[in-house]
Amino acid sequence: MQAFFIILGAFIVLVLGLFIFSLFLSPAIKVERSLVITAAPGDIFPLLNVVRNWELWSPWKEQDPAVKITYGEKESGVGAGYSWESRNRNVGKGHMTITESKPDQQVVTHIDFMGMGATKGYFRLDPVNGGTLVTWGMVCDMGQHPIRKVMGLMMDKWVGKDFEKGLANIKRLLKG
């Protein structure tokens, strides 16, 4: 019986410690990756601004080729978007809409992960010597829930790898 109380006490201390630790964490999360692609911004932009083109380079499409994708009426620019649904828990389900589009410069998205929260995504295209610096990023608010805030510490590792893979796929598509 004494072992039970020791384990229970350790569990309570762990939960309390996690809660206190989370008080010092920012709810704001930012994940960003960049890659130089030897292509002009005008060659890269359509891969980002035309939502059907995302299937060509999306790291999540690779994780689940059977993902069910439903496109909206608009195919590109502000208002274009799609919904997805996958049995793969790493892909999940959600909806993405382009909220801002500046030709050959930037695409901004709103992504709703259906029950898991929403985030703002973005792509920046900056001309550099020998090509374009493509930056893929996201910012989100994890709220004040202690577990979500602690999970936010892992977002850079989890999502960053996917961003790197997606950027590499775009580079491969353009042979840049």
Side-chain angles (χ1 to χ4, degrees), residues 38-66:
T38 56
D43 296 331
I44 300 166
F45 186 73
L47 291 173
L48 310 172
N49 194 56
V50 179
V51 293
R52 286 188 186 270
N53 287 341
W54 285 42
E55 285 190 58
L56 300 172
W57 56 266
S58 168
W60 300 293
K61 176 74 173 173
E62 284 182 22
Q63 288 183 30
D64 181 7

Side-chain angles (χ1 to χ4, degrees), residues 59-68 84-94 112-116 151 154-155 158-159 161-162:
W60 300 293
K61 176 74 173 173
E62 284 182 22
Q63 288 183 30
D64 181 7
V67 64
K68 184 174 159 187
W84 72 92
E85 191 168 345
S86 169
R87 292 180 187 226
N88 181 323
R89 69 179 189 88
N90 292 329
V91 179
K93 66 180 181 175
D112 184 354
F113 292 102
M114 305 299 180
M116 298 296 288
M151 281 180 54
M154 300 302 296
M155 293 296 281
W158 292 336
V159 178
K161 287 191 288 187
D162 290 337

Side-chain angles (χ1 to χ4, degrees), residues 4 10 13 20 32 38 44 51 58 70 72 75 85 89 92 96 101 111 116 124 127 130 141 144 146 150 163 168-169:
F4 171 75
V13 168
I20 292 169
E32 189 174 86
T38 56
I44 300 166
V51 293
S58 168
T70 306
E75 289 197 19
E85 191 168 345
R89 69 179 189 88
M96 186 279 301
S101 176
I111 306 164
M116 298 296 288
R124 278 193 323 267
D141 185 340
Q144 293 303 319
V150 171
F163 284 7
N169 289 345

Side-chain angles (χ1 to χ4, degrees), residues 106-148:
Q106 178 174 286
V107 173
V108 178
T109 63
H110 174 81
I111 306 164
D112 184 354
F113 292 102
M114 305 299 180
M116 298 296 288
T119 186
K120 174 184 172 182
Y122 57 89
F123 295 89
R124 278 193 323 267
L125 305 174
D126 297 306
V128 295
N129 200 11
T132 303
L133 178 66
V134 182
T135 301
W136 185 6
M138 67 172 240
V139 291
C140 63
D141 185 340
M142 300 303 282
Q144 293 303 319
H145 191 283
I147 293 174
R148 286 180 53 91

